[in-house]
Amino acid sequence: MAAADLDFVLIDNENFTSPEITIQNPDGTPRNLTGAGLRFQVRPCQGSPGSPLLDLSIGHGITVLSAINGKIQIAFGSFAVPAGDHFQDLIEDQSGYRTAIFQGRFEVTHGVTRWP
């Protein structure tokens, strides 16, 4: 299954919460995520070695809103990703079989207001 294209554009002085995301099977039906593992990573470039700029999983930034209906949300507060154009993807693991769900740009721009 080819990963869907999905880009995120964020400002570095806000908390980030994605809209509700529905993960679908190739035929367009909602994907059942019961028992699945999900991992979302941001890196400076595709295939970049070393630690990711952001590494989220279920319970740590990824919330499964409805497993049977494939609905998730991605959120994080304290901003750790520097401004710039980066790359991201979401990978699903079902019993050791990994599938790329979506991938795309992760663009971060500087906000104006700073908190102490």
Side-chain angles (χ1 to χ4, degrees), residues 83-113:
D85 283 331
H86 311 293
F87 294 90
Q88 54 75 21
D89 64 10
L90 177 74
I91 304 297
E92 174 194 13
D93 183 282
Q94 283 273 13
S95 303
Y97 183 79
R98 293 189 181 142
T99 304
I101 302 299
F102 62 73
Q103 64 183 8
R105 290 180 47 243
F106 193 88
E107 181 183 343
V108 180
T109 60
H110 284 299
V112 175
T113 301

Side-chain angles (χ1 to χ4, degrees), residues 22-93:
T22 300
I23 299 172
Q24 298 178 339
N25 293 309
D27 66 3
T29 59
R31 189 175 191 88
N32 187 340
L33 300 174
T34 303
L38 296 172
R39 178 157 253 161
F40 175 85
Q41 290 187 346
V42 175
R43 293 185 181 267
C45 61
Q46 293 173 323
S48 176
S51 298
L53 299 171
L54 186 64
D55 189 2
L56 305 177
S57 58
I58 295 173
H60 301 280
I62 298 175
T63 301
V64 177
L65 303 172
S66 173
I68 194 107
N69 293 310
K71 295 186 182 299
I72 67 164
Q73 195 164 46
I74 298 171
F76 55 92
S78 55
F79 217 92
V81 179
D85 283 331
H86 311 293
F87 294 90
Q88 54 75 21
D89 64 10
L90 177 74
I91 304 297
E92 174 194 13
D93 183 282

